[in-house]
Coordinates of all heavy atoms in Angstrom, one line a residue:
M1384 N 33.9 -33.4 -63.2 CA 34.6 -33.8 -62.0 C 35.3 -32.6 -61.4 O 36.0 -31.9 -62.1 CB 35.7 -34.9 -62.3 CG 36.5 -35.2 -61.1 SD 37.8 -36.4 -61.6 CE 37.1 -37.9 -60.9
G1385 N 35.0 -32.3 -60.1 CA 35.5 -31.1 -59.5 C 36.5 -31.5 -58.4 O 36.6 -32.6 -57.9
L1386 N 37.2 -30.5 -57.9 CA 38.2 -30.7 -56.9 C 37.5 -30.2 -55.6 O 37.1 -29.0 -55.5 CB 39.4 -29.8 -57.1 CG 40.5 -29.8 -56.0 CD1 41.1 -31.2 -55.8 CD2 41.6 -28.8 -56.4
N1387 N 37.3 -31.1 -54.6 CA 36.7 -30.7 -53.4 C 37.8 -30.1 -52.5 O 38.8 -30.7 -52.3 CB 36.0 -31.9 -52.7 CG 34.8 -32.3 -53.4 OD1 34.1 -31.5 -54.0 ND2 34.5 -33.6 -53.4
M1388 N 37.5 -28.9 -51.9 CA 38.5 -28.3 -51.1 C 37.8 -27.8 -49.8 O 36.7 -27.3 -49.9 CB 39.1 -27.1 -51.8 CG 40.2 -26.4 -51.1 SD 40.9 -25.0 -52.0 CE 41.1 -25.5 -53.7
T1389 N 38.5 -27.9 -48.7 CA 38.0 -27.4 -47.4 C 38.9 -26.3 -47.0 O 40.1 -26.4 -47.0 CB 38.0 -28.5 -46.4 OG1 37.2 -29.6 -46.9 CG2 37.4 -28.0 -45.1
V1390 N 38.3 -25.2 -46.5 CA 39.0 -24.0 -46.0 C 38.5 -23.7 -44.6 O 37.3 -23.6 -44.4 CB 38.8 -22.8 -46.9 CG1 39.6 -21.6 -46.3 CG2 39.3 -23.0 -48.3
E1391 N 39.4 -23.8 -43.6 CA 39.0 -23.5 -42.2 C 39.9 -22.3 -41.7 O 41.1 -22.3 -42.0 CB 39.3 -24.7 -41.3 CG 38.5 -25.9 -41.6 CD 39.0 -27.1 -40.7 OE1 38.5 -27.2 -39.6 OE2 39.9 -27.8 -41.2
V1392 N 39.2 -21.4 -41.0 CA 39.9 -20.3 -40.3 C 40.0 -20.7 -38.9 O 39.0 -21.0 -38.2 CB 39.2 -19.0 -40.5 CG1 39.9 -17.9 -39.7 CG2 39.1 -18.6 -41.9
L1393 N 41.3 -20.8 -38.4 CA 41.5 -21.3 -37.0 C 42.2 -20.2 -36.2 O 42.9 -19.3 -36.8 CB 42.5 -22.5 -37.1 CG 42.0 -23.6 -38.0 CD1 43.1 -24.6 -38.2 CD2 40.8 -24.3 -37.4
D1394 N 42.1 -20.3 -34.9 CA 42.8 -19.4 -34.0 C 42.7 -17.9 -34.3 O 43.7 -17.2 -34.1 CB 44.3 -19.8 -33.9 CG 44.5 -21.2 -33.5 OD1 43.7 -21.7 -32.7 OD2 45.4 -21.9 -34.1
R1395 N 41.5 -17.5 -34.8 CA 41.4 -16.0 -35.1 C 41.2 -15.3 -33.8 O 40.3 -15.6 -33.0 CB 40.2 -15.8 -36.0 CG 40.0 -14.4 -36.5 CD 38.9 -14.3 -37.5 NE 39.4 -13.6 -38.6 CZ 38.7 -13.2 -39.6 NH1 37.4 -13.4 -39.6 NH2 39.2 -12.5 -40.6
K1396 N 42.0 -14.2 -33.7 CA 41.9 -13.4 -32.4 C 42.3 -12.0 -32.7 O 43.2 -11.7 -33.5 CB 42.6 -14.0 -31.3 CG 44.1 -14.2 -31.5 CD 44.8 -14.9 -30.4 CE 46.2 -15.3 -30.8 NZ 46.8 -16.2 -29.9
V1397 N 41.7 -11.1 -31.9 CA 42.1 -9.7 -31.9 C 43.3 -9.5 -31.0 O 43.2 -9.9 -29.8 CB 40.9 -8.8 -31.4 CG1 41.4 -7.3 -31.4 CG2 39.7 -8.9 -32.4
E1398 N 44.4 -9.1 -31.6 CA 45.7 -9.0 -30.8 C 45.7 -7.6 -30.1 O 46.2 -7.6 -29.0 CB 46.9 -9.1 -31.8 CG 47.0 -10.4 -32.5 CD 47.5 -11.5 -31.6 OE1 48.0 -11.3 -30.6 OE2 47.3 -12.7 -32.1
S1399 N 45.3 -6.6 -30.8 CA 45.5 -5.2 -30.2 C 44.7 -4.2 -31.1 O 44.2 -4.6 -32.2 CB 46.9 -4.8 -30.2 OG 47.5 -4.8 -31.4
Q1400 N 44.7 -3.0 -30.7 CA 44.2 -1.9 -31.5 C 45.3 -0.9 -31.6 O 45.9 -0.5 -30.6 CB 42.9 -1.2 -30.9 CG 42.3 -0.2 -31.8 CD 41.0 0.4 -31.3 OE1 40.8 0.4 -30.1 NE2 40.2 0.8 -32.2
E1401 N 45.7 -0.5 -32.8 CA 46.8 0.3 -33.0 C 46.7 1.3 -34.2 O 45.8 1.1 -35.0 CB 48.1 -0.5 -33.1 CG 48.1 -1.6 -34.1 CD 49.2 -2.6 -34.0 OE1 49.2 -3.4 -33.0 OE2 50.1 -2.6 -34.9
E1402 N 47.5 2.3 -34.2 CA 47.6 3.2 -35.3 C 48.4 2.6 -36.4 O 49.5 2.2 -36.2 CB 48.2 4.5 -34.8 CG 48.0 5.7 -35.8 CD 46.6 6.3 -35.8 OE1 45.9 6.1 -34.8 OE2 46.3 6.9 -36.8
I1403 N 47.8 2.5 -37.6 CA 48.4 1.9 -38.8 C 48.6 2.9 -39.9 O 47.6 3.6 -40.2 CB 47.6 0.7 -39.3 CG1 47.5 -0.4 -38.2 CG2 48.2 0.1 -40.6 CD1 48.8 -1.0 -37.8
N1404 N 49.7 3.0 -40.4 CA 50.0 3.9 -41.6 C 50.0 3.1 -42.9 O 50.8 2.1 -42.9 CB 51.3 4.7 -41.4 CG 51.3 5.6 -40.2 OD1 50.3 6.4 -40.1 ND2 52.2 5.5 -39.4
V1405 N 49.2 3.4 -43.8 CA 49.2 2.8 -45.2 C 49.3 4.0 -46.2 O 49.2 5.1 -45.8 CB 48.0 1.9 -45.4 CG1 48.0 0.7 -44.5 CG2 46.7 2.7 -45.2
S1406 N 49.4 3.7 -47.4 CA 49.5 4.7 -48.5 C 48.3 5.7 -48.4 O 48.4 6.8 -48.8 CB 49.6 4.1 -49.8 OG 50.8 3.3 -49.9
A1407 N 47.1 5.2 -48.0 CA 45.9 6.0 -48.0 C 45.8 6.9 -46.8 O 44.9 7.7 -46.7 CB 44.7 5.1 -48.1
G1408 N 46.7 6.7 -45.8 CA 46.7 7.5 -44.6 C 46.9 6.7 -43.3 O 47.3 5.6 -43.4
S1409 N 46.5 7.3 -42.2 CA 46.7 6.7 -40.9 C 45.3 6.3 -40.4 O 44.4 7.1 -40.5 CB 47.4 7.6 -39.9 OG 48.7 7.9 -40.3
F1410 N 45.2 5.2 -39.8 CA 43.9 4.6 -39.2 C 44.2 4.0 -37.9 O 45.2 3.4 -37.7 CB 43.4 3.6 -40.2 CG 43.0 4.1 -41.6 CD1 44.0 4.1 -42.5 CD2 41.8 4.5 -41.9 CE1 43.7 4.6 -43.8 CE2 41.5 5.0 -43.1 CZ 42.5 5.0 -44.1
K1411 N 43.2 4.1 -37.0 CA 43.2 3.3 -35.8 C 42.5 2.0 -36.1 O 41.3 1.9 -36.4 CB 42.4 4.0 -34.7 CG 42.6 3.4 -33.3 CD 42.3 4.3 -32.2 CE 42.7 3.6 -30.9 NZ 42.8 4.6 -29.8
A1412 N 43.2 0.9 -36.1 CA 42.7 -0.4 -36.6 C 42.9 -1.5 -35.6 O 43.8 -1.5 -34.7 CB 43.4 -0.8 -37.9
F1413 N 42.1 -2.5 -35.7 CA 42.3 -3.7 -34.9 C 43.2 -4.7 -35.6 O 43.0 -4.9 -36.8 CB 40.9 -4.5 -34.6 CG 40.0 -3.7 -33.6 CD1 39.0 -3.0 -34.1 CD2 40.3 -3.8 -32.3 CE1 38.2 -2.3 -33.2 CE2 39.5 -3.1 -31.4 CZ 38.4 -2.4 -31.9
K1414 N 44.2 -5.2 -34.9 CA 45.1 -6.2 -35.5 C 44.6 -7.6 -35.2 O 44.4 -7.9 -34.0 CB 46.5 -6.0 -34.9 CG 47.5 -7.0 -35.4 CD 48.9 -6.8 -34.7 CE 49.9 -7.8 -35.1 NZ 51.2 -7.6 -34.4
I1415 N 44.2 -8.3 -36.2 CA 43.6 -9.6 -36.1 C 44.5 -10.7 -36.7 O 44.9 -10.6 -37.9 CB 42.2 -9.6 -36.8 CG1 41.3 -8.6 -36.2 CG2 41.6 -11.0 -36.7 CD1 40.0 -8.3 -37.0
S1416 N 44.9 -11.7 -35.9 CA 45.7 -12.8 -36.4 C 44.9 -14.0 -36.7 O 43.8 -14.2 -36.0 CB 46.9 -13.1 -35.5 OG 46.3 -13.6 -34.2
Q1417 N 45.3 -14.8 -37.6 CA 44.6 -16.1 -37.9 C 45.4 -17.1 -38.6 O 46.5 -16.7 -39.2 CB 43.3 -15.8 -38.7 CG 43.6 -15.3 -40.1 CD 42.3 -14.9 -40.8 OE1 41.4 -14.5 -40.2 NE2 42.4 -15.0 -42.1
T1418 N 45.0 -18.3 -38.6 CA 45.6 -19.4 -39.4 C 44.5 -19.9 -40.3 O 43.4 -20.2 -39.8 CB 46.2 -20.5 -38.5 OG1 47.2 -19.9 -37.7 CG2 46.8 -21.6 -39.4
T1419 N 44.8 -20.0 -41.6 CA 43.9 -20.6 -42.5 C 44.4 -21.9 -43.0 O 45.5 -22.0 -43.5 CB 43.7 -19.7 -43.8 OG1 43.3 -18.4 -43.3 CG2 42.6 -20.2 -44.7
K1420 N 43.6 -23.0 -42.8 CA 44.0 -24.3 -43.3 C 43.2 -24.7 -44.5 O 42.0 -24.6 -44.5 CB 43.7 -25.3 -42.1 CG 44.1 -26.7 -42.5 CD 43.7 -27.7 -41.3 CE 44.0 -29.1 -41.6 NZ 43.6 -30.0 -40.6
I1421 N 43.9 -25.0 -45.6 CA 43.3 -25.4 -46.9 C 43.7 -26.9 -47.1 O 44.8 -27.3 -47.1 CB 43.9 -24.5 -48.0 CG1 43.7 -23.1 -47.7 CG2 43.2 -24.9 -49.3 CD1 44.4 -22.1 -48.6
S1422 N 42.6 -27.7 -47.3 CA 42.8 -29.1 -47.5 C 42.1 -29.6 -48.7 O 41.0 -29.2 -49.0 CB 42.3 -29.9 -46.3 OG 42.8 -29.5 -45.1
S1423 N 42.7 -30.5 -49.5 CA 42.1 -31.2 -50.6 C 42.7 -32.6 -50.7 O 43.7 -32.9 -50.0 CB 42.2 -30.4 -51.9 OG 43.5 -30.5 -52.4
K1424 N 42.3 -33.3 -51.7 CA 43.0 -34.6 -52.0 C 44.4 -34.4 -52.5 O 45.2 -35.3 -52.3 CB 42.2 -35.4 -53.0 CG 40.9 -35.9 -52.5 CD 40.2 -36.7 -53.6 CE 38.8 -37.3 -53.1 NZ 38.1 -38.1 -54.1
L1425 N 44.7 -33.3 -53.1 CA 46.0 -33.0 -53.7 C 47.0 -32.4 -52.7 O 48.2 -32.6 -52.9 CB 45.9 -32.2 -54.9 CG 45.0 -32.7 -56.0 CD1 44.9 -31.7 -57.2 CD2 45.6 -34.0 -56.5
F1426 N 46.5 -31.6 -51.7 CA 47.5 -30.9 -50.8 C 46.8 -30.5 -49.5 O 45.6 -30.4 -49.4 CB 48.1 -29.7 -51.5 CG 47.1 -28.6 -51.9 CD1 46.8 -27.6 -51.0 CD2 46.4 -28.6 -53.1 CE1 45.9 -26.6 -51.3 CE2 45.5 -27.6 -53.4 CZ 45.2 -26.6 -52.5
N1427 N 47.6 -30.2 -48.6 CA 47.2 -29.6 -47.3 C 48.2 -28.4 -47.0 O 49.4 -28.6 -47.2 CB 47.3 -30.6 -46.1 CG 46.3 -31.7 -46.3 OD1 45.1 -31.4 -46.4 ND2 46.7 -32.9 -46.2
R1428 N 47.6 -27.3 -46.6 CA 48.5 -26.1 -46.4 C 47.9 -25.3 -45.3 O 46.7 -25.1 -45.2 CB 48.6 -25.3 -47.7 CG 49.5 -24.2 -47.5 CD 49.9 -23.5 -48.9 NE 50.8 -22.5 -48.6 CZ 51.0 -21.5 -49.5 NH1 50.4 -21.5 -50.6 NH2 51.9 -20.6 -49.2
S1429 N 48.7 -24.7 -44.4 CA 48.3 -23.8 -43.4 C 49.0 -22.4 -43.7 O 50.2 -22.4 -44.0 CB 48.7 -24.3 -42.0 OG 47.9 -25.4 -41.7
I1430 N 48.2 -21.4 -43.6 CA 48.8 -20.0 -43.9 C 48.5 -19.1 -42.7 O 47.3 -19.0 -42.3 CB 48.1 -19.4 -45.2 CG1 48.3 -20.3 -46.4 CG2 48.6 -18.0 -45.4 CD1 47.5 -20.0 -47.6
S1431 N 49.5 -18.5 -42.2 CA 49.3 -17.5 -41.1 C 49.2 -16.1 -41.7 O 49.9 -15.8 -42.6 CB 50.5 -17.6 -40.1 OG 50.6 -18.8 -39.5
S1432 N 48.3 -15.3 -41.1 CA 48.1 -14.0 -41.6 C 47.7 -13.0 -40.6 O 47.2 -13.4 -39.5 CB 47.1 -14.0 -42.8 OG 45.9 -14.4 -42.4
I1433 N 47.8 -11.8 -40.8 CA 47.4 -10.7 -40.0 C 46.6 -9.7 -40.8 O 47.1 -9.3 -41.9 CB 48.6 -10.0 -39.3 CG1 49.4 -11.0 -38.4 CG2 48.1 -8.8 -38.5 CD1 50.7 -10.4 -37.9
E1434 N 45.5 -9.3 -40.3 CA 44.7 -8.3 -41.0 C 44.5 -7.1 -40.0 O 44.4 -7.2 -38.8 CB 43.3 -8.8 -41.4 CG 43.3 -9.8 -42.4 CD 42.0 -10.3 -42.8 OE1 41.0 -10.3 -42.0 OE2 41.8 -10.8 -44.0
Y1435 N 44.5 -5.9 -40.6 CA 44.2 -4.7 -39.9 C 42.8 -4.2 -40.3 O 42.6 -3.8 -41.4 CB 45.3 -3.6 -40.1 CG 46.6 -4.1 -39.6 CD1 47.5 -4.8 -40.4 CD2 47.0 -3.8 -38.3 CE1 48.7 -5.3 -39.9 CE2 48.2 -4.3 -37.8 CZ 49.1 -5.0 -38.6 OH 50.2 -5.5 -38.1
F1436 N 41.9 -4.2 -39.3 CA 40.5 -3.9 -39.6 C 40.0 -2.6 -38.9 O 40.2 -2.5 -37.7 CB 39.6 -5.1 -39.1 CG 38.2 -4.9 -39.3 CD1 37.6 -5.2 -40.5 CD2 37.4 -4.5 -38.2 CE1 36.2 -5.0 -40.7 CE2 36.0 -4.3 -38.4 CZ 35.4 -4.6 -39.6
V1437 N 39.4 -1.8 -39.7 CA 38.8 -0.5 -39.2 C 37.3 -0.7 -39.2 O 36.7 -0.8 -40.3 CB 39.2 0.7 -40.1 CG1 38.6 2.0 -39.6 CG2 40.7 0.8 -40.1
P1438 N 36.7 -0.6 -38.0 CA 35.2 -0.7 -38.0 C 34.5 0.3 -38.8 O 34.9 1.5 -38.9 CB 34.9 -0.5 -36.5 CG 36.1 -0.9 -35.8 CD 37.2 -0.5 -36.7
G1439 N 33.5 -0.1 -39.6 CA 32.7 0.8 -40.4 C 33.4 1.1 -41.8 O 32.9 1.8 -42.6
F1440 N 34.6 0.5 -41.9 CA 35.4 0.7 -43.2 C 35.8 -0.6 -43.8 O 35.5 -0.9 -45.0 CB 36.6 1.6 -42.9 CG 37.3 2.1 -44.2 CD1 36.8 3.2 -44.9 CD2 38.4 1.4 -44.7 CE1 37.4 3.6 -46.0 CE2 39.0 1.9 -45.8 CZ 38.5 3.0 -46.5
G1441 N 36.5 -1.4 -43.0 CA 37.0 -2.7 -43.5 C 38.4 -3.0 -43.3 O 39.1 -2.2 -42.5
V1442 N 39.0 -3.9 -44.0 CA 40.4 -4.3 -43.9 C 41.2 -3.3 -44.7 O 41.0 -3.1 -45.9 CB 40.7 -5.7 -44.4 CG1 42.2 -6.0 -44.4 CG2 39.9 -6.7 -43.6
I1443 N 42.2 -2.6 -44.0 CA 43.1 -1.7 -44.7 C 44.5 -2.2 -45.1 O 45.2 -1.7 -45.9 CB 43.2 -0.4 -43.9 CG1 43.9 -0.7 -42.5 CG2 41.9 0.4 -43.8 CD1 44.5 0.5 -41.9
K1444 N 44.8 -3.4 -44.4 CA 46.1 -4.0 -44.7 C 46.0 -5.5 -44.3 O 45.4 -5.8 -43.3 CB 47.2 -3.4 -43.9 CG 48.6 -3.9 -44.2 CD 49.7 -3.1 -43.5 CE 51.1 -3.6 -43.9 NZ 52.1 -2.8 -43.2
S1445 N 46.6 -6.3 -45.2 CA 46.6 -7.8 -44.9 C 48.0 -8.3 -45.2 O 48.6 -7.9 -46.2 CB 45.6 -8.5 -45.9 OG 45.6 -9.8 -45.6
V1446 N 48.5 -9.1 -44.2 CA 49.9 -9.5 -44.3 C 49.9 -11.1 -44.2 O 49.3 -11.6 -43.3 CB 50.8 -8.9 -43.2 CG1 52.2 -9.5 -43.3 CG2 50.7 -7.4 -43.2
T1447 N 50.5 -11.7 -45.1 CA 50.7 -13.2 -45.1 C 52.1 -13.5 -44.6 O 53.1 -12.8 -45.1 CB 50.5 -13.8 -46.5 OG1 49.2 -13.5 -46.9 CG2 50.6 -15.3 -46.4
L1448 N 52.2 -14.4 -43.7 CA 53.5 -14.7 -43.1 C 54.1 -16.0 -43.5 O 53.3 -17.0 -43.8 CB 53.4 -14.7 -41.5 CG 52.8 -13.5 -40.9 CD1 52.5 -13.7 -39.4 CD2 53.7 -12.3 -41.1
D1449 N 55.4 -16.1 -43.6 CA 56.0 -17.4 -44.0 C 56.2 -18.2 -42.7 O 55.8 -17.8 -41.6 CB 57.3 -17.2 -44.7 CG 58.4 -16.5 -43.9 OD1 58.3 -16.4 -42.7 OD2 59.4 -16.0 -44.5
K1450 N 56.9 -19.4 -42.8 CA 57.0 -20.3 -41.6 C 57.9 -19.7 -40.5 O 57.8 -20.1 -39.4 CB 57.6 -21.6 -42.1 CG 56.7 -22.4 -42.9 CD 57.3 -23.7 -43.4 CE 56.3 -24.5 -44.3 NZ 56.8 -25.7 -44.8
K1451 N 58.7 -18.7 -40.9 CA 59.6 -18.0 -39.9 C 58.9 -16.8 -39.2 O 59.5 -16.2 -38.4 CB 60.9 -17.6 -40.5 CG 61.8 -18.7 -41.0 CD 63.0 -18.1 -41.7 CE 63.9 -19.2 -42.3 NZ 65.0 -18.7 -43.0
G1452 N 57.7 -16.5 -39.7 CA 56.9 -15.4 -39.2 C 57.3 -14.1 -39.9 O 56.8 -13.0 -39.4
E1453 N 58.0 -14.2 -41.0 CA 58.4 -13.0 -41.8 C 57.3 -12.7 -42.8 O 56.6 -13.7 -43.3 CB 59.7 -13.2 -42.4 CG 60.9 -13.5 -41.5 CD 61.3 -12.3 -40.7 OE1 61.2 -11.2 -41.2 OE2 61.7 -12.5 -39.5
T1454 N 57.1 -11.5 -43.2 CA 56.2 -11.1 -44.3 C 56.6 -11.8 -45.6 O 57.7 -11.6 -46.1 CB 56.1 -9.6 -44.5 OG1 55.7 -9.0 -43.2 CG2 55.2 -9.2 -45.6
S1455 N 55.6 -12.6 -46.2 CA 55.9 -13.2 -47.5 C 55.1 -12.4 -48.6 O 55.5 -12.4 -49.7 CB 55.5 -14.6 -47.5 OG 54.1 -14.8 -47.3
S1456 N 54.0 -11.8 -48.2 CA 53.2 -10.9 -49.1 C 52.3 -10.0 -48.3 O 52.0 -10.3 -47.1 CB 52.4 -11.7 -50.1 OG 51.4 -12.5 -49.5
Y1457 N 51.8 -8.9 -48.9 CA 50.9 -8.1 -48.2 C 50.1 -7.2 -49.3 O 50.5 -7.1 -50.4 CB 51.6 -7.1 -47.2 CG 52.4 -6.0 -47.9 CD1 51.8 -4.7 -48.0 CD2 53.6 -6.1 -48.4 CE1 52.4 -3.7 -48.6 CE2 54.3 -5.1 -48.9 CZ 53.7 -3.9 -49.1 OH 54.4 -2.8 -49.7
S1458 N 49.0 -6.7 -48.8 CA 48.2 -5.8 -49.6 C 47.8 -4.7 -48.6 O 47.6 -4.9 -47.4 CB 47.0 -6.5 -50.2 OG 46.1 -7.0 -49.3
E1459 N 47.6 -3.5 -49.2 CA 47.2 -2.4 -48.4 C 46.3 -1.4 -49.2 O 46.4 -1.3 -50.4 CB 48.3 -1.6 -47.7 CG 49.2 -0.8 -48.7 CD 50.3 0.0 -48.0 OE1 51.0 -0.6 -47.1 OE2 50.4 1.1 -48.2
L1460 N 45.5 -0.6 -48.5 CA 44.7 0.4 -49.1 C 45.6 1.5 -49.5 O 46.5 2.0 -48.8 CB 43.7 0.9 -48.0 CG 42.8 2.0 -48.5 CD1 41.8 1.5 -49.5 CD2 42.0 2.6 -47.3
I1461 N 45.5 1.9 -50.8 CA 46.4 2.9 -51.3 C 45.7 4.3 -51.5 O 46.4 5.3 -51.6 CB 47.1 2.5 -52.6 CG1 46.2 2.2 -53.7 CG2 48.1 1.3 -52.4 CD1 46.8 2.0 -55.1
A1462 N 44.4 4.3 -51.7 CA 43.7 5.6 -51.9 C 42.2 5.4 -51.5 O 41.7 4.3 -51.6 CB 43.8 6.0 -53.3
I1463 N 41.6 6.5 -51.2 CA 40.2 6.6 -50.9 C 39.6 7.6 -51.9 O 40.1 8.8 -51.9 CB 39.9 7.0 -49.5 CG1 40.4 6.0 -48.5 CG2 38.4 7.1 -49.3 CD1 40.4 6.4 -47.0
K1464 N 38.7 7.3 -52.7 CA 38.1 8.2 -53.7 C 36.7 8.5 -53.3 O 35.9 7.6 -52.9 CB 38.1 7.6 -55.1 CG 39.5 7.4 -55.6 CD 39.5 7.0 -57.0 CE 41.0 6.8 -57.5 NZ 41.0 6.4 -58.9
N1465 N 36.3 9.8 -53.3 CA 35.0 10.2 -53.0 C 34.1 10.3 -54.2 O 34.5 10.5 -55.3 CB 35.0 11.5 -52.3 CG 35.7 11.4 -50.9 OD1 35.6 10.4 -50.3 ND2 36.3 12.5 -50.5

């Protein structure tokens, strides 16, 4: 018996393109906002987040927001190894 879960990405949009500083350096990235809705028989939850995406490279920073719009968690690129 498994838990059926539905995940929907809603309201995804490119907000801007900006210079972002992370531990690995500075990048010109697209700021993308979205809401992720997770539903199952046991719970329903919506999560707001922002990702900073560099074309040809990927996501360099991801920020999860709480209900007040404040950062509740984040991850970022810390190094590039050749």
Side-chain angles (χ1 to χ4, degrees):
M1384 174 184 257
L1386 176 65
N1387 291 327
M1388 188 180 315
T1389 302
V1390 178
E1391 296 177 84
V1392 176
L1393 308 168
D1394 304 323
R1395 183 174 232 190
K1396 60 186 167 190
V1397 175
E1398 300 284 343
S1399 61
Q1400 187 176 25
E1401 51 193 70
E1402 192 75 21
I1403 298 296
N1404 296 310
V1405 294
S1406 297
S1409 296
F1410 298 85
K1411 190 163 190 162
F1413 289 102
K1414 179 181 178 181
I1415 303 168
S1416 64
Q1417 67 186 28
T1418 301
T1419 305
K1420 182 179 175 184
I1421 304 168
S1422 304
S1423 73
K1424 290 181 179 181
L1425 300 176
F1426 65 90
N1427 292 307
R1428 184 168 183 200
S1429 289
I1430 301 167
S1431 296
S1432 62
I1433 297 171
E1434 292 182 333
Y1435 295 89
F1436 178 81
V1437 177
F1440 191 82
V1442 175
I1443 60 162
K1444 185 174 182 177
S1445 180
V1446 179
T1447 303
L1448 306 172
D1449 64 17
K1450 292 179 182 179
K1451 295 179 183 177
E1453 302 289 329
T1454 299
S1455 64
S1456 66
Y1457 75 95
S1458 62
E1459 71 175 48
L1460 181 68
I1461 58 169
I1463 300 171
K1464 294 184 179 183
N1465 294 328

